[in-house]
Amino acid sequence: MAAATVSGAAVSEEPPERRAARRRADRRRRLTVLAMLSPWIIGFCVFTLYPVVNSFYWSFTIKRYGAPARWVGLQNYELLLRSDDLLKSLGNTAYLAAFGLPVRVGLALLAATLLVRARRGNGVYRVMFFVPSIVPAVASGALFFFLLKEGGPVSSLFGLFGAEAPLWFGDPRWAKPALIMVATWALGDVMLILLAGLVDIPTSLYEAAELDGAGRWAKFRHVTLPMISPVIFFVVLTGMIGVLQSFDQAYVFSQGVREGRLTGEPAGSLLTYAMLQLRLFQDGRVGFAAAMAWVMFLITLAVTLVMLWSRRRWVHTATEEFG
Amino acid sequence: MSRTRRFLALVGRHSVLIGLAVMFALPFFFMLLQSVMPLDQAKTGTLFPSRFEWDNYSEVFRRVPLGGYVLNTLKVCALSVTGTVVSCVPVAYAFSILRWKGRTAVFVLVLCTMMLPYQVLFVSQYQIFSSLGWLDTILPLVVPAFFADAFSIFLLRQFFLTLPSETLDAARVDGAGEFTVLTRVVVPMAKPGIMAVAIFQFLFAWSDFFGPNIYLSSEENLTLAVGLVRLNTAVARLGESNLTMAASVVFVLPLLVIFFFAQRTFIEGVTLTGTKG
């Protein structure tokens, strides 16, 4: 571990007793740093570094908990890439990202742009939009499970208009929109982050645009959007990672449908995270699950890198504006 | 812009906002209504209960050990909040106020661990905890909290960096060692930041489903999140969603209360992680 040191040249010019004192003080400072860091150092080694190395090794083995691992090389990865489940779960996850994220971020942006201009009632609206996002995922899962179930409030509302509500959890076409709906309801944190970004846009830019005769839409298109794009980038990136790891609500939805069975799969909507847990605790295939975890990590990494690369194309940087 | 047009824009804006707000509030509204719905109506999909059945709340406490779930959840929350604060405050201090060679590099390492997905860790963490004989106890949920998580370190560091260095130096001139500066000067001054970290950890521990679902199994050890899902599964076929919703209210209400008392801390915390992350 790196620690405080003084340069050798400065030390040699000092009288020996001063040098000894300084060295003692140095050692004390180094010990202080180490002592304060120790919770993190221990935690990092035990709960991060060791598990990472371990699960990487296991991913090349056949292993069950409590039994020794047997080296099989790339077999887990080959099996995984050939399995239909992986494709299916990735497809479902991609669906949630492709349709869920734009709705979530778009609606959050709409709410934030309206809020930033509304002076009266700003606080009340802000609280109302934010509160759903602190509801725990399993609670909002249970809540929407009730709202959307056959004969629940939503189908009653559909009934008022003489329409028939879809079978949200029993129908593969509607299970994913139901998941998107819950995620959209909890857009509060995205909205707050966007709101903070909007507040930071200097009003002088809007005034300048007005002088150029820009209307409401033109101002949004040419001032707000470019200025807010770094923040949008951030919420989309974290949102993507969130979708890749989403699990709780799908679990609740499926639990209610197939009683007592750990499926994590409401009507053909197996998600990657659920699939991982399924292999691990239902089938006990630790090595296979470890390989899957690493594939998921690589996918996350790839998504992040692609987004960072695409950043130049659509994210506006301040240096271009003022440089 | 003419006055009428400005007025119309104002009306338009507020009607969209009100419409959105109603849409966001409706689920809560139905949750509350359903939680006091008499059973015979709960099964039929009626929107409004003919009378308020408050007994649903005592019924759900009778049906499942909800009181025990609350107690377990509070235990997990209290221990993991304590652990997080006790461990992350000195670590954040070392990363913000102490100066040492390699500080930036190690801090980048901390941030990197934040990007590491939990799934590559828990496959192996499960094995560690099971070989320690910790399965079906709350230990796997609270012990890691005592070893400083990256998110809390990051948040606390942001707060510590804003503290005036003159005050700290004054304390050092008076002969205070770093540990004294930490406990006597930094902690009192950074109370809002520590509060924010504590609240976020509480929120996480209270809501967490993934961890408790893996590590806890017997009925008397469950937390609210797992208990709620099991209840939902058990009563879904019977159509007793009034009980599920009553349990959900018990689960969600404390969070709403905390939110209303600590609104500013919440909003600042979320914005801080968003804009400076």
Side-chain angles (χ1 to χ4, degrees), chain B residues 62-95:
Chain B
R62 261 198 306 277
R63 189 77 71 86
V64 289
L66 204 60
Y69 296 165
V70 173
L71 228 64
N72 291 336
T73 313
L74 283 176
K75 230 191 300 180
V76 171
C77 285
L79 284 168
S80 70
V81 167
T82 312
T84 302
V85 170
V86 167
S87 63
C88 292
V89 164
V91 175
Y93 185 88
F95 277 122

PDB file of all heavy atoms in Angstrom, chain B residues 62-95:
ATOM      1  N   ARG B  62     -51.804 -11.464  12.095  1.00  0.00           N
ATOM      2  CA  ARG B  62     -52.115 -12.802  12.604  1.00  0.00           C
ATOM      3  C   ARG B  62     -51.657 -13.868  11.627  1.00  0.00           C
ATOM      4  O   ARG B  62     -51.121 -14.894  11.998  1.00  0.00           O
ATOM      5  CB  ARG B  62     -53.633 -12.932  12.814  1.00  0.00           C
ATOM      6  CG  ARG B  62     -54.078 -12.734  14.252  1.00  0.00           C
ATOM      7  CD  ARG B  62     -55.470 -13.290  14.471  1.00  0.00           C
ATOM      8  NE  ARG B  62     -56.451 -12.761  13.542  1.00  0.00           N
ATOM      9  CZ  ARG B  62     -57.086 -11.600  13.705  1.00  0.00           C
ATOM     10  NH1 ARG B  62     -56.840 -10.854  14.749  1.00  0.00           N
ATOM     11  NH2 ARG B  62     -57.961 -11.180  12.822  1.00  0.00           N
ATOM     12  N   ARG B  63     -51.883 -13.606  10.330  1.00  0.00           N
ATOM     13  CA  ARG B  63     -51.656 -14.612   9.301  1.00  0.00           C
ATOM     14  C   ARG B  63     -50.173 -14.940   9.132  1.00  0.00           C
ATOM     15  O   ARG B  63     -49.781 -16.082   9.027  1.00  0.00           O
ATOM     16  CB  ARG B  63     -52.233 -14.113   7.977  1.00  0.00           C
ATOM     17  CG  ARG B  63     -52.260 -15.159   6.884  1.00  0.00           C
ATOM     18  CD  ARG B  63     -53.391 -16.149   7.089  1.00  0.00           C
ATOM     19  NE  ARG B  63     -54.682 -15.540   6.830  1.00  0.00           N
ATOM     20  CZ  ARG B  63     -55.246 -15.461   5.619  1.00  0.00           C
ATOM     21  NH1 ARG B  63     -54.635 -15.960   4.576  1.00  0.00           N
ATOM     22  NH2 ARG B  63     -56.432 -14.906   5.477  1.00  0.00           N
ATOM     23  N   VAL B  64     -49.349 -13.910   9.075  1.00  0.00           N
ATOM     24  CA  VAL B  64     -47.905 -14.122   8.954  1.00  0.00           C
ATOM     25  C   VAL B  64     -47.228 -13.378  10.104  1.00  0.00           C
ATOM     26  O   VAL B  64     -47.795 -12.408  10.624  1.00  0.00           O
ATOM     27  CB  VAL B  64     -47.348 -13.591   7.612  1.00  0.00           C
ATOM     28  CG1 VAL B  64     -47.792 -14.454   6.460  1.00  0.00           C
ATOM     29  CG2 VAL B  64     -47.741 -12.148   7.389  1.00  0.00           C
ATOM     30  N   PRO B  65     -46.029 -13.845  10.511  1.00  0.00           N
ATOM     31  CA  PRO B  65     -45.343 -13.159  11.624  1.00  0.00           C
ATOM     32  C   PRO B  65     -44.784 -11.802  11.188  1.00  0.00           C
ATOM     33  O   PRO B  65     -43.583 -11.579  11.197  1.00  0.00           O
ATOM     34  CB  PRO B  65     -44.234 -14.139  12.008  1.00  0.00           C
ATOM     35  CG  PRO B  65     -44.028 -14.978  10.813  1.00  0.00           C
ATOM     36  CD  PRO B  65     -45.309 -15.025  10.063  1.00  0.00           C
ATOM     37  N   LEU B  66     -45.688 -10.900  10.828  1.00  0.00           N
ATOM     38  CA  LEU B  66     -45.261  -9.610  10.291  1.00  0.00           C
ATOM     39  C   LEU B  66     -44.456  -8.819  11.325  1.00  0.00           C
ATOM     40  O   LEU B  66     -43.480  -8.149  10.982  1.00  0.00           O
ATOM     41  CB  LEU B  66     -46.493  -8.811   9.842  1.00  0.00           C
ATOM     42  CG  LEU B  66     -46.261  -7.744   8.795  1.00  0.00           C
ATOM     43  CD1 LEU B  66     -45.710  -8.329   7.515  1.00  0.00           C
ATOM     44  CD2 LEU B  66     -47.566  -7.000   8.493  1.00  0.00           C
ATOM     45  N   GLY B  67     -44.887  -8.908  12.590  1.00  0.00           N
ATOM     46  CA  GLY B  67     -44.151  -8.226  13.656  1.00  0.00           C
ATOM     47  C   GLY B  67     -42.709  -8.694  13.713  1.00  0.00           C
ATOM     48  O   GLY B  67     -41.782  -7.887  13.834  1.00  0.00           O
ATOM     49  N   GLY B  68     -42.532 -10.004  13.575  1.00  0.00           N
ATOM     50  CA  GLY B  68     -41.176 -10.565  13.568  1.00  0.00           C
ATOM     51  C   GLY B  68     -40.383 -10.080  12.368  1.00  0.00           C
ATOM     52  O   GLY B  68     -39.207  -9.732  12.485  1.00  0.00           O
ATOM     53  N   TYR B  69     -41.026 -10.023  11.200  1.00  0.00           N
ATOM     54  CA  TYR B  69     -40.357  -9.508   9.994  1.00  0.00           C
ATOM     55  C   TYR B  69     -39.869  -8.072  10.236  1.00  0.00           C
ATOM     56  O   TYR B  69     -38.743  -7.724   9.882  1.00  0.00           O
ATOM     57  CB  TYR B  69     -41.308  -9.476   8.794  1.00  0.00           C
ATOM     58  CG  TYR B  69     -41.816 -10.812   8.306  1.00  0.00           C
ATOM     59  CD1 TYR B  69     -42.913 -10.860   7.445  1.00  0.00           C
ATOM     60  CD2 TYR B  69     -41.211 -11.996   8.673  1.00  0.00           C
ATOM     61  CE1 TYR B  69     -43.395 -12.063   6.975  1.00  0.00           C
ATOM     62  CE2 TYR B  69     -41.691 -13.210   8.211  1.00  0.00           C
ATOM     63  CZ  TYR B  69     -42.781 -13.243   7.365  1.00  0.00           C
ATOM     64  OH  TYR B  69     -43.265 -14.425   6.896  1.00  0.00           O
ATOM     65  N   VAL B  70     -40.770  -7.252  10.815  1.00  0.00           N
ATOM     66  CA  VAL B  70     -40.399  -5.855  11.071  1.00  0.00           C
ATOM     67  C   VAL B  70     -39.178  -5.806  11.977  1.00  0.00           C
ATOM     68  O   VAL B  70     -38.209  -5.087  11.710  1.00  0.00           O
ATOM     69  CB  VAL B  70     -41.573  -5.076  11.703  1.00  0.00           C
ATOM     70  CG1 VAL B  70     -41.134  -3.681  12.117  1.00  0.00           C
ATOM     71  CG2 VAL B  70     -42.746  -4.992  10.744  1.00  0.00           C
ATOM     72  N   LEU B  71     -39.202  -6.617  13.035  1.00  0.00           N
ATOM     73  CA  LEU B  71     -38.100  -6.637  13.989  1.00  0.00           C
ATOM     74  C   LEU B  71     -36.787  -7.059  13.317  1.00  0.00           C
ATOM     75  O   LEU B  71     -35.751  -6.423  13.503  1.00  0.00           O
ATOM     76  CB  LEU B  71     -38.433  -7.612  15.127  1.00  0.00           C
ATOM     77  CG  LEU B  71     -38.200  -7.079  16.533  1.00  0.00           C
ATOM     78  CD1 LEU B  71     -39.114  -5.906  16.822  1.00  0.00           C
ATOM     79  CD2 LEU B  71     -38.419  -8.189  17.559  1.00  0.00           C
ATOM     80  N   ASN B  72     -36.862  -8.136  12.512  1.00  0.00           N
ATOM     81  CA  ASN B  72     -35.659  -8.593  11.800  1.00  0.00           C
ATOM     82  C   ASN B  72     -35.138  -7.513  10.874  1.00  0.00           C
ATOM     83  O   ASN B  72     -33.932  -7.270  10.792  1.00  0.00           O
ATOM     84  CB  ASN B  72     -35.971  -9.832  10.961  1.00  0.00           C
ATOM     85  CG  ASN B  72     -36.260 -11.031  11.823  1.00  0.00           C
ATOM     86  OD1 ASN B  72     -35.815 -11.093  12.968  1.00  0.00           O
ATOM     87  ND2 ASN B  72     -37.025 -11.972  11.302  1.00  0.00           N
ATOM     88  N   THR B  73     -36.054  -6.874  10.134  1.00  0.00           N
ATOM     89  CA  THR B  73     -35.641  -5.836   9.196  1.00  0.00           C
ATOM     90  C   THR B  73     -34.971  -4.692   9.944  1.00  0.00           C
ATOM     91  O   THR B  73     -33.927  -4.183   9.517  1.00  0.00           O
ATOM     92  CB  THR B  73     -36.846  -5.312   8.412  1.00  0.00           C
ATOM     93  OG1 THR B  73     -37.600  -6.421   7.950  1.00  0.00           O
ATOM     94  CG2 THR B  73     -36.417  -4.473   7.236  1.00  0.00           C
ATOM     95  N   LEU B  74     -35.572  -4.300  11.083  1.00  0.00           N
ATOM     96  CA  LEU B  74     -34.988  -3.208  11.861  1.00  0.00           C
ATOM     97  C   LEU B  74     -33.594  -3.592  12.360  1.00  0.00           C
ATOM     98  O   LEU B  74     -32.680  -2.772  12.365  1.00  0.00           O
ATOM     99  CB  LEU B  74     -35.891  -2.850  13.043  1.00  0.00           C
ATOM    100  CG  LEU B  74     -37.112  -2.019  12.690  1.00  0.00           C
ATOM    101  CD1 LEU B  74     -37.989  -1.808  13.915  1.00  0.00           C
ATOM    102  CD2 LEU B  74     -36.692  -0.649  12.126  1.00  0.00           C
ATOM    103  N   LYS B  75     -33.442  -4.858  12.764  1.00  0.00           N
ATOM    104  CA  LYS B  75     -32.140  -5.316  13.242  1.00  0.00           C
ATOM    105  C   LYS B  75     -31.097  -5.194  12.119  1.00  0.00           C
ATOM    106  O   LYS B  75     -30.007  -4.662  12.317  1.00  0.00           O
ATOM    107  CB  LYS B  75     -32.249  -6.778  13.700  1.00  0.00           C
ATOM    108  CG  LYS B  75     -31.676  -7.013  15.093  1.00  0.00           C
ATOM    109  CD  LYS B  75     -31.544  -8.485  15.444  1.00  0.00           C
ATOM    110  CE  LYS B  75     -32.818  -9.271  15.446  1.00  0.00           C
ATOM    111  NZ  LYS B  75     -32.690 -10.691  15.774  1.00  0.00           N
ATOM    112  N   VAL B  76     -31.460  -5.702  10.932  1.00  0.00           N
ATOM    113  CA  VAL B  76     -30.545  -5.620   9.788  1.00  0.00           C
ATOM    114  C   VAL B  76     -30.215  -4.168   9.493  1.00  0.00           C
ATOM    115  O   VAL B  76     -29.050  -3.799   9.287  1.00  0.00           O
ATOM    116  CB  VAL B  76     -31.162  -6.306   8.547  1.00  0.00           C
ATOM    117  CG1 VAL B  76     -30.321  -6.036   7.315  1.00  0.00           C
ATOM    118  CG2 VAL B  76     -31.298  -7.794   8.771  1.00  0.00           C
ATOM    119  N   CYS B  77     -31.249  -3.323   9.487  1.00  0.00           N
ATOM    120  CA  CYS B  77     -31.038  -1.903   9.174  1.00  0.00           C
ATOM    121  C   CYS B  77     -30.109  -1.258  10.186  1.00  0.00           C
ATOM    122  O   CYS B  77     -29.126  -0.608   9.821  1.00  0.00           O
ATOM    123  CB  CYS B  77     -32.362  -1.153   9.171  1.00  0.00           C
ATOM    124  SG  CYS B  77     -33.351  -1.492   7.727  1.00  0.00           S
ATOM    125  N   ALA B  78     -30.403  -1.445  11.476  1.00  0.00           N
ATOM    126  CA  ALA B  78     -29.618  -0.783  12.520  1.00  0.00           C
ATOM    127  C   ALA B  78     -28.155  -1.210  12.425  1.00  0.00           C
ATOM    128  O   ALA B  78     -27.251  -0.369  12.439  1.00  0.00           O
ATOM    129  CB  ALA B  78     -30.179  -1.128  13.895  1.00  0.00           C
ATOM    130  N   LEU B  79     -27.913  -2.517  12.287  1.00  0.00           N
ATOM    131  CA  LEU B  79     -26.539  -2.997  12.248  1.00  0.00           C
ATOM    132  C   LEU B  79     -25.820  -2.540  10.993  1.00  0.00           C
ATOM    133  O   LEU B  79     -24.658  -2.131  11.048  1.00  0.00           O
ATOM    134  CB  LEU B  79     -26.511  -4.521  12.351  1.00  0.00           C
ATOM    135  CG  LEU B  79     -26.771  -5.056  13.756  1.00  0.00           C
ATOM    136  CD1 LEU B  79     -27.009  -6.551  13.731  1.00  0.00           C
ATOM    137  CD2 LEU B  79     -25.597  -4.722  14.665  1.00  0.00           C
ATOM    138  N   SER B  80     -26.496  -2.591   9.840  1.00  0.00           N
ATOM    139  CA  SER B  80     -25.764  -2.238   8.627  1.00  0.00           C
ATOM    140  C   SER B  80     -25.552  -0.726   8.530  1.00  0.00           C
ATOM    141  O   SER B  80     -24.541  -0.290   7.994  1.00  0.00           O
ATOM    142  CB  SER B  80     -26.431  -2.811   7.380  1.00  0.00           C
ATOM    143  OG  SER B  80     -27.624  -2.163   7.117  1.00  0.00           O
ATOM    144  N   VAL B  81     -26.475   0.066   9.082  1.00  0.00           N
ATOM    145  CA  VAL B  81     -26.243   1.516   9.103  1.00  0.00           C
ATOM    146  C   VAL B  81     -25.063   1.827  10.021  1.00  0.00           C
ATOM    147  O   VAL B  81     -24.142   2.570   9.644  1.00  0.00           O
ATOM    148  CB  VAL B  81     -27.509   2.282   9.549  1.00  0.00           C
ATOM    149  CG1 VAL B  81     -27.179   3.728   9.871  1.00  0.00           C
ATOM    150  CG2 VAL B  81     -28.582   2.214   8.486  1.00  0.00           C
ATOM    151  N   THR B  82     -25.048   1.218  11.215  1.00  0.00           N
ATOM    152  CA  THR B  82     -23.928   1.421  12.139  1.00  0.00           C
ATOM    153  C   THR B  82     -22.613   1.026  11.471  1.00  0.00           C
ATOM    154  O   THR B  82     -21.648   1.790  11.484  1.00  0.00           O
ATOM    155  CB  THR B  82     -24.109   0.558  13.405  1.00  0.00           C
ATOM    156  OG1 THR B  82     -25.430   0.732  13.888  1.00  0.00           O
ATOM    157  CG2 THR B  82     -23.121   0.945  14.481  1.00  0.00           C
ATOM    158  N   GLY B  83     -22.609  -0.162  10.864  1.00  0.00           N
ATOM    159  CA  GLY B  83     -21.400  -0.648  10.220  1.00  0.00           C
ATOM    160  C   GLY B  83     -20.916   0.292   9.142  1.00  0.00           C
ATOM    161  O   GLY B  83     -19.725   0.615   9.070  1.00  0.00           O
ATOM    162  N   THR B  84     -21.848   0.747   8.306  1.00  0.00           N
ATOM    163  CA  THR B  84     -21.459   1.618   7.205  1.00  0.00           C
ATOM    164  C   THR B  84     -20.853   2.919   7.716  1.00  0.00           C
ATOM    165  O   THR B  84     -19.797   3.353   7.249  1.00  0.00           O
ATOM    166  CB  THR B  84     -22.695   1.930   6.338  1.00  0.00           C
ATOM    167  OG1 THR B  84     -23.237   0.705   5.882  1.00  0.00           O
ATOM    168  CG2 THR B  84     -22.332   2.792   5.155  1.00  0.00           C
ATOM    169  N   VAL B  85     -21.510   3.530   8.706  1.00  0.00           N
ATOM    170  CA  VAL B  85     -21.012   4.814   9.198  1.00  0.00           C
ATOM    171  C   VAL B  85     -19.662   4.625   9.879  1.00  0.00           C
ATOM    172  O   VAL B  85     -18.695   5.330   9.580  1.00  0.00           O
ATOM    173  CB  VAL B  85     -22.042   5.466  10.151  1.00  0.00           C
ATOM    174  CG1 VAL B  85     -21.430   6.659  10.859  1.00  0.00           C
ATOM    175  CG2 VAL B  85     -23.278   5.874   9.382  1.00  0.00           C
ATOM    176  N   VAL B  86     -19.570   3.636  10.777  1.00  0.00           N
ATOM    177  CA  VAL B  86     -18.338   3.426  11.529  1.00  0.00           C
ATOM    178  C   VAL B  86     -17.162   3.125  10.609  1.00  0.00           C
ATOM    179  O   VAL B  86     -16.047   3.593  10.831  1.00  0.00           O
ATOM    180  CB  VAL B  86     -18.533   2.281  12.559  1.00  0.00           C
ATOM    181  CG1 VAL B  86     -17.210   1.831  13.134  1.00  0.00           C
ATOM    182  CG2 VAL B  86     -19.466   2.741  13.659  1.00  0.00           C
ATOM    183  N   SER B  87     -17.405   2.352   9.536  1.00  0.00           N
ATOM    184  CA  SER B  87     -16.275   1.982   8.680  1.00  0.00           C
ATOM    185  C   SER B  87     -15.995   3.015   7.598  1.00  0.00           C
ATOM    186  O   SER B  87     -14.844   3.252   7.262  1.00  0.00           O
ATOM    187  CB  SER B  87     -16.533   0.611   8.046  1.00  0.00           C
ATOM    188  OG  SER B  87     -17.668   0.673   7.216  1.00  0.00           O
ATOM    189  N   CYS B  88     -17.029   3.637   7.049  1.00  0.00           N
ATOM    190  CA  CYS B  88     -16.789   4.528   5.907  1.00  0.00           C
ATOM    191  C   CYS B  88     -16.264   5.899   6.305  1.00  0.00           C
ATOM    192  O   CYS B  88     -15.544   6.521   5.535  1.00  0.00           O
ATOM    193  CB  CYS B  88     -18.068   4.696   5.089  1.00  0.00           C
ATOM    194  SG  CYS B  88     -18.527   3.191   4.261  1.00  0.00           S
ATOM    195  N   VAL B  89     -16.600   6.374   7.513  1.00  0.00           N
ATOM    196  CA  VAL B  89     -16.131   7.702   7.913  1.00  0.00           C
ATOM    197  C   VAL B  89     -14.604   7.769   7.945  1.00  0.00           C
ATOM    198  O   VAL B  89     -14.016   8.634   7.289  1.00  0.00           O
ATOM    199  CB  VAL B  89     -16.786   8.147   9.244  1.00  0.00           C
ATOM    200  CG1 VAL B  89     -16.040   9.314   9.859  1.00  0.00           C
ATOM    201  CG2 VAL B  89     -18.243   8.498   9.014  1.00  0.00           C
ATOM    202  N   PRO B  90     -13.914   6.849   8.650  1.00  0.00           N
ATOM    203  CA  PRO B  90     -12.437   6.936   8.600  1.00  0.00           C
ATOM    204  C   PRO B  90     -11.864   6.719   7.202  1.00  0.00           C
ATOM    205  O   PRO B  90     -10.894   7.382   6.830  1.00  0.00           O
ATOM    206  CB  PRO B  90     -11.976   5.835   9.565  1.00  0.00           C
ATOM    207  CG  PRO B  90     -13.150   5.029   9.881  1.00  0.00           C
ATOM    208  CD  PRO B  90     -14.362   5.831   9.607  1.00  0.00           C
ATOM    209  N   VAL B  91     -12.456   5.801   6.430  1.00  0.00           N
ATOM    210  CA  VAL B  91     -11.920   5.554   5.086  1.00  0.00           C
ATOM    211  C   VAL B  91     -12.062   6.809   4.229  1.00  0.00           C
ATOM    212  O   VAL B  91     -11.127   7.227   3.544  1.00  0.00           O
ATOM    213  CB  VAL B  91     -12.636   4.353   4.419  1.00  0.00           C
ATOM    214  CG1 VAL B  91     -12.167   4.184   2.985  1.00  0.00           C
ATOM    215  CG2 VAL B  91     -12.393   3.084   5.198  1.00  0.00           C
ATOM    216  N   ALA B  92     -13.234   7.444   4.295  1.00  0.00           N
ATOM    217  CA  ALA B  92     -13.442   8.662   3.512  1.00  0.00           C
ATOM    218  C   ALA B  92     -12.489   9.766   3.978  1.00  0.00           C
ATOM    219  O   ALA B  92     -12.001  10.562   3.183  1.00  0.00           O
ATOM    220  CB  ALA B  92     -14.891   9.127   3.635  1.00  0.00           C
ATOM    221  N   TYR B  93     -12.215   9.778   5.288  1.00  0.00           N
ATOM    222  CA  TYR B  93     -11.269  10.754   5.835  1.00  0.00           C
ATOM    223  C   TYR B  93      -9.891  10.542   5.209  1.00  0.00           C
ATOM    224  O   TYR B  93      -9.233  11.494   4.791  1.00  0.00           O
ATOM    225  CB  TYR B  93     -11.215  10.585   7.351  1.00  0.00           C
ATOM    226  CG  TYR B  93     -10.372  11.593   8.088  1.00  0.00           C
ATOM    227  CD1 TYR B  93     -10.927  12.790   8.517  1.00  0.00           C
ATOM    228  CD2 TYR B  93      -9.038  11.345   8.376  1.00  0.00           C
ATOM    229  CE1 TYR B  93     -10.164  13.721   9.215  1.00  0.00           C
ATOM    230  CE2 TYR B  93      -8.260  12.262   9.067  1.00  0.00           C
ATOM    231  CZ  TYR B  93      -8.833  13.456   9.479  1.00  0.00           C
ATOM    232  OH  TYR B  93      -8.070  14.371  10.157  1.00  0.00           O
ATOM    233  N   ALA B  94      -9.471   9.285   5.145  1.00  0.00           N
ATOM    234  CA  ALA B  94      -8.172   8.985   4.557  1.00  0.00           C
ATOM    235  C   ALA B  94      -8.114   9.363   3.081  1.00  0.00           C
ATOM    236  O   ALA B  94      -7.068   9.708   2.562  1.00  0.00           O
ATOM    237  CB  ALA B  94      -7.846   7.502   4.729  1.00  0.00           C
ATOM    238  N   PHE B  95      -9.269   9.316   2.410  1.00  0.00           N
ATOM    239  CA  PHE B  95      -9.289   9.630   0.975  1.00  0.00           C
ATOM    240  C   PHE B  95      -9.509  11.116   0.687  1.00  0.00           C
ATOM    241  O   PHE B  95      -9.426  11.537  -0.461  1.00  0.00           O
ATOM    242  CB  PHE B  95     -10.374   8.824   0.266  1.00  0.00           C
ATOM    243  CG  PHE B  95      -9.934   7.433  -0.084  1.00  0.00           C
ATOM    244  CD1 PHE B  95     -10.636   6.338   0.386  1.00  0.00           C
ATOM    245  CD2 PHE B  95      -8.822   7.219  -0.881  1.00  0.00           C
ATOM    246  CE1 PHE B  95     -10.231   5.051   0.070  1.00  0.00           C
ATOM    247  CE2 PHE B  95      -8.411   5.939  -1.198  1.00  0.00           C
ATOM    248  CZ  PHE B  95      -9.116   4.853  -0.720  1.00  0.00           C
TER     249      PHE B  95
END
